[in-house]
Structure formats: C-alpha cells, structure tokens
Amino acid sequence: MEIVLGPPGTGKTTYLLEQMERELDRGVPPDRIGFVSFTRRAAQEAKDRAMAKFKLSSKDLPYIRTLHSLCFRALGISNSEVLEGKKLMEFGAYVKMPVSGFVSMEEGTTFGFLDGDRALFMDNLARVKGISLWDQFQINRDDLLWSKVQWVSDKLVAFKKAHHLMDYTDMLAQFVKTEWSARLEVLLVDEAQDLSWLQWQVVAHLAKGTRRQIIAGDDDQAIYRWAGAAVEHFIDLPGDIKVLDHSWRVPREVQAVAFDVLSRISKRREKAWNPRDGQGYVSVAKRLEDSGLDVNEDTLILSRNSCFLRDDAMKFLKSEGILYEYHGQTSVRQSLVDAIVDWEKLRKGGEISVAQAENVYAQMEARKGFEWGQKKLPAYEDRDQMVSLQDLKEAGGLKVDTVWHEALSRAKPEERQYMQAALRGGQRLTERPKIRVSTIHGAKGAQADHVILLRDMAWRTFTEMKNNPEDEARTWYVAATRAKQRLTVVKPQANINRAYEI
C-alpha cells in the first residue's frame, strides 16, 4: 500500500490523477481502476480528466465516484428506495419529531438543528463509527433525552423495513457484507483523512485482489471528525509513505501562521513541506471593512459558523453594494438579472423571446408596468418568437419604457438599490463575483488570492473546542492555508473571549 501525504496546495489529487493516467497508459482497462473520494468534486475531476485524455465515456469509468455512489450502484438500488427528502419528513411525522429532510450524500448523513435531525445524526454517527448508540450518546448528548434518541433509532429501523427503504449508511454496511467484486487492479483513494470507520471497511472490501493501492490524504486537514471521520486510523495506517513536499499555493508568510496553529496538534504524521515561491502578506484588521476588500480581487471570506456570515459579513457586503457568492449562488437573483439585461436590450431597440418577455413581466407590478395581471403573454403561442418593445406595447399591454430600476418595480426597493450600488461601483451583474463567502468547512478544497478570516465562534463551537482542541486547530489550519497571496485575520466582533487565537 502506498500512502501519499499531501499538505495544502501540494496537489495530491493531481498526483492520483497522474497515477491513474499511467495505469491507463500501461493498458489497464478503465473499468479495472477504482478512484473513490469523500467528495464529488474530486471524483468528478478524475472522471473528466480520464474522459478527455483517453476519449472515454462516463460509462467506461464505472468505478470513479464517491464511496456512497459506488455502493448505491453496486447494490443495484433505485432512488425510490433511498430514505431522503420527503420520506425523511414523513419519518419525522411518524415519530412526531420535526425533521428537515436534508441529506448530504458526501457525508451520508442528515444535517439540521431540529430535534429529529439531531437524533438521526446521532444514530448515523454511531453506525459510521462502529459503536453503540449508547456510547455515542455518552460522548455527546447534544441536549437530547436518551429516551428520545432510542425511540427515534428504533422507529427508524421499523420505518425503513416497512417501506423497503435504505439510508446512505445502510448502503455502506450492506456493501461490506456482499460478495461483490469488480476485479479491480488498482484502487486510488482521495481525501482519506475524512473517511469514517465504516467507509474504511468499504475501502478494504474494494481493495481485495488489487495489485496496487494508493491512499492519499492529510491528517492535518482532517476536519470531519464531528461527522465520524476516523482520523487516527489514517494516522496509524501502515504503508510506503510519499510526502508531496512543495505547495503551489501557500506563501511562506501564510505558512508561518499555519504552522503556529499546527503546533497545537500533538498526534499527527510529521511531514515537511516547502511554501511556494514569491512573497505573501499577513495582516490583522479591526473590522471586515478594514480588511482591504477589493471587488476585483479573488477573495474568500471565511467564518467558523454561518451565523457570522449572515449577520455580519453578508450584511456588510450588501450595505456597501458588493456582489458576492454564497453556496454557489450569487447575491442577486438570476431571474432579476436576466430581466434587467433583456429590458435594457428592448429599450435599445433590440428583440427578446416571448419566454424572456414573460420573465420581464414577472418583475413588474400589474397595472403599473402592464395592463393585465397574468405573467404569460396572451397574444403569443410560440415562446421562442422574438418581440420588440413596440410589439409588447401593442400586444402585451406594456405601459412603461423607463430604466430598469423604475420599470421592474416588483423587485423589493432594497434589492434594486443594492444592484444599483454594485453597478455604480463598476461591478457587472452578469459576471461571477470575485468575492466568495463560506464557512471553513464549506471551503475545503477551495483557495483564493486573498483570504479573510473572521475569528468569532458560536458558543456551542467554542465549548466543543474545549473537549477537542486539536480538531479545532485542524479546522483553522485548513482556513489559513486557503490563501494564495494575502491572509487577513479580523479581530473578534461579538466576544473577544469567544474567538480562536490565530
């Protein structure tokens, strides 16, 4: 077994992809190579690269996927048999406990703050860690009653059996029990530091009969213990060690900050790595507005908890007319942006489709912007037909031809004002914002020229840090090492005694 240790920005995923390419060049059939990862991003990147280089289709690469996806496929189950979404909410009604119904396929577990979510999370955590529910309850009771947790767990088993359903953790457990074999020759595992005990059982099952196994990860970046990651298993894993020792991302000045955080971790794999060439910059700001934020610079604003993003960062950005991206979505409604572009095109004498015109009308107030109250234009059956401003006045009852922020009056005033301020600041509504906002966990694998760290911590996170200080150090190590050029640390705003020291 080969163990590849990849510190931040050293390219461990790229290294694995190169090994996969070498095996394909040697003539190994693509369906005899397994590439599994904790994240969809890494698995999809591997598949895309192999498809492009060797002119393969997705069907030619059946075993490049996340572990949950691989087990799902191997067991031959259908989406209708998976306990998720509405079915989870139905389960919540069945046990008379509210459940949000959200599941992450990558972590294979439910997330949320409702009582039902937390009880389900605890049940799942015990199963992926291979321990009893009682033992998990003793580790972290999460302000729940044991009777409630046990009730939910027992009813979950009964509900799944009665409705012939399986959750994502069941998929892993069932796969391990099967005699399934893909006769893989090579197995590549990425983000191994984030795998749970049960996921390691799946990896061992996949590895049977392979002639080569490469396990890649970085225990210093293991930030999912709270979701069941078996960090010590990866640290103690025997094999031939290869350290990727040159970061293409992190400059020396940022590395120094990261190493200071890293020094707070006692049990880890020792690994030396060199920073990238060129100078970096580290600074401390009193407030976010003092951080040197530039709308034209690739920037990542990170917080330990989402509440500080909502209440502080995003509120400030909107007050300043700064566009940003959060969870892959821009801070302005795409339907409104499309309507603005199409409306201004009409005013300049151009034409748009009826479908686009319907969206424009949807942003207008009835009896102000047009004469009737329906969103669909009654005079046109073909939604692809092109129409002009004059056409809409005649057939669609259009009453206005003023600038967009007056014509599209159905949008809230603060929304229009925010977009106007962004335009005055030289930003383009149709371009992806340079500013991204994320929690530290949500930014795993991301990077930016300028990283701004908000040091504030929620009370629950702060109290949990006292029990697991090394896990918290790993989280902030990941945060600091997202920076390619500049790292700015913002002083705590809410409570100076409830902030991480960095």
Side-chain angles (χ1 to χ4, degrees):
M1 180 186 294
E2 302 168 49
I3 300 173
V4 178
L5 303 179
T10 55
K12 59 182 169 54
T13 301
T14 298
Y15 177 83
L16 288 179
L17 295 174
E18 290 171 351
Q19 301 310 304
M20 182 177 71
E21 289 177 359
R22 289 181 185 179
E23 294 294 337
L24 290 169
D25 283 334
R26 289 181 55 185
V28 177
D31 62 353
R32 296 291 181 86
I33 299 175
F35 186 114
V36 295
S37 176
F38 181 74
T39 65
R40 291 181 186 143
R41 175 192 56 78
Q44 191 60 51
E45 182 183 353
K47 181 172 286 190
D48 290 344
R49 184 163 169 176
M51 288 167 59
K53 180 174 176 61
F54 297 98
K55 296 181 173 56
L56 299 172
S57 69
S58 181
K59 292 181 180 179
D60 295 324
L61 302 163
Y63 305 117
I64 301 182
R65 52 184 68 231
T66 63
L67 285 170
H68 287 98
S69 174
L70 190 150
C71 293
F72 176 89
R73 182 183 187 278
L75 294 172
I77 60 179
S78 65
N79 290 326
S80 62
E81 298 175 88
V82 181
L83 179 62
E84 62 180 348
K86 290 183 179 179
K87 298 185 187 74
L88 265 175
M89 299 178 75
E90 289 171 7
F91 171 73
Y94 172 66
V95 295
K96 296 181 174 57
M97 290 180 74
V99 173
S100 66
F102 176 74
V103 173
S104 166
M105 189 168 180
E106 289 178 357
E107 288 83 13
T109 187
T110 53
F111 288 91
F113 296 100
L114 302 176
D115 285 353
D117 294 326
R118 289 154 54 215
L120 284 171
F121 179 79
M122 188 178 297
D123 175 84
N124 180 81
L125 197 55
R127 289 186 286 148
V128 300
K129 291 169 67 174
I131 64 176
S132 71
L133 182 61
W134 173 252
D135 286 342
Q136 181 56 45
F137 181 74
Q138 292 301 310
I139 293 170
N140 185 356
R141 302 190 176 204
D142 200 14
D143 295 326
L144 294 170
L145 296 174
W146 168 245
S147 57
K148 286 280 189 181
V149 174
Q150 190 176 39
W151 161 265
V152 169
S153 181
D154 291 343
K155 290 300 179 182
L156 178 64
V157 174
F159 185 84
K160 288 187 291 188
K161 183 177 181 180
H163 294 83
H164 306 288
L165 296 172
M166 184 180 292
D167 62 29
Y168 290 105
T169 301
D170 293 328
M171 294 178 199
L172 302 179
Q174 289 298 319
F175 175 78
V176 172
K177 295 176 182 178
T178 67
E179 296 298 324
W180 179 91
S181 173
R183 295 183 299 167
L184 296 177
E185 290 189 35
V186 179
L187 177 63
L188 311 173
V189 181
D190 198 8
E191 303 290 354
Q193 77 279 347
D194 293 325
L195 300 184
S196 67
W197 171 85
L198 184 54
Q199 288 170 322
W200 279 112
Q201 306 307 302
V202 174
V203 168
H205 197 47
L206 290 171
K208 291 178 181 177
T210 59
R211 64 169 171 79
R212 190 182 183 196
Q213 304 161 30
I214 307 178
I215 312 295
D218 180 10
D219 54 294
D220 295 331
Q221 299 183 71
I223 62 175
Y224 284 101
R225 190 195 297 271
W226 60 273
V231 183
E232 280 73 22
H233 181 91
F234 178 73
I235 294 174
D236 297 332
L237 196 66
D240 297 326
I241 304 296
K242 177 180 179 59
V243 178
L244 304 178
D245 59 4
H246 182 79
S247 178
W248 304 97
R249 177 200 305 156
V250 184
R252 186 176 305 278
E253 293 76 9
V254 174
Q255 185 195 48
V257 175
F259 277 4
D260 177 65
V261 176
L262 205 58
S263 67
R264 305 167 198 178
I265 302 174
S266 58
K267 185 173 182 180
R268 54 182 292 269
R269 286 185 182 269
E270 290 294 334
K271 59 192 83 69
W273 57 276
N274 299 313
R276 71 160 176 81
D277 297 332
Q279 186 175 6
Y281 303 89
V282 175
S283 61
V284 176
K286 185 176 181 180
R287 299 169 300 175
L288 179 58
E289 46 263 54
D290 304 321
S291 63
L293 196 62
D294 184 345
V295 297
N296 296 311
E297 183 180 27
D298 177 33
T299 302
L300 189 56
I301 301 175
L302 295 179
S303 173
R304 182 63 176 83
N305 306 103
S306 59
C307 59
F308 298 110
L309 297 177
R310 292 191 306 268
D311 300 341
D312 298 330
M314 289 187 273
K315 187 178 291 185
F316 164 72
L317 294 173
K318 286 200 170 182
S319 70
E320 295 296 309
I322 298 174
L323 302 178
Y324 62 89
E325 185 180 285
Y326 180 58
H327 284 325
Q329 300 293 320
T330 60
S331 54
V332 290
R333 283 190 296 123
Q334 189 59 49
S335 58
L336 181 54
V337 173
D338 292 342
I340 292 170
V341 172
D342 292 335
W343 178 251
E344 291 304 311
K345 184 176 181 179
L346 286 173
R347 293 183 67 239
K348 293 176 181 178
E351 294 185 338
I352 63 174
S353 70
V354 170
Q356 291 170 314
E358 289 176 351
N359 181 52
V360 169
Y361 274 51
Q363 315 302 326
M364 293 180 169
E365 293 180 280
R367 292 185 294 276
K368 287 186 179 180
F370 51 92
E371 293 178 352
W372 40 273
Q374 299 180 9
K375 293 182 181 179
K376 184 174 176 61
L377 302 181
Y380 301 96
E381 294 183 2
D382 182 4
R383 298 180 76 247
D384 292 326
Q385 182 176 336
M386 303 302 288
V387 292
S388 66
L389 189 63
Q390 187 59 35
D391 293 332
L392 293 175
K393 285 184 176 181
E394 294 175 357
L398 195 67
K399 297 174 65 176
V400 295
D401 57 7
T402 55
V403 294
W404 70 266
H405 50 85
E406 295 177 1
L408 308 181
S409 57
R410 193 170 183 180
K412 294 180 180 179
E414 57 268 27
E415 190 175 22
R416 284 177 279 158
Q417 291 166 8
Y418 172 52
M419 298 173 86
Q420 285 179 270
L423 290 170
R424 285 195 300 270
Q427 299 168 86
R428 297 179 65 87
L429 301 178
T430 55
E431 293 181 355
R432 186 175 179 178
K434 294 282 190 179
I435 312 294
R436 286 169 290 153
V437 177
S438 175
T439 60
I440 299 171
H441 284 84
K444 183 76 180 294
Q447 59 184 11
D449 292 334
H450 186 192
V451 168
I452 301 174
L453 288 184
L454 309 182
R455 286 179 48 209
D456 293 89
M457 302 173 70
W459 174 253
R460 180 172 176 175
T461 303
F462 184 73
T463 54
E464 288 176 353
M465 179 179 67
K466 296 178 181 179
N467 297 323
N468 300 293
E470 296 194 2
D471 287 342
E472 196 62 31
R474 289 186 175 97
T475 300
W476 289 89
Y477 174 76
V478 166
T481 55
R482 300 309 91 194
K484 296 166 59 179
Q485 187 69 31
R486 288 205 291 157
L487 174 65
T488 301
V489 180
V490 180
K491 291 183 178 181
Q493 306 296 296
N495 188 327
I496 194 169
N497 296 316
R498 204 169 70 216
Y500 195 77
E501 281 297 325
I502 187 170

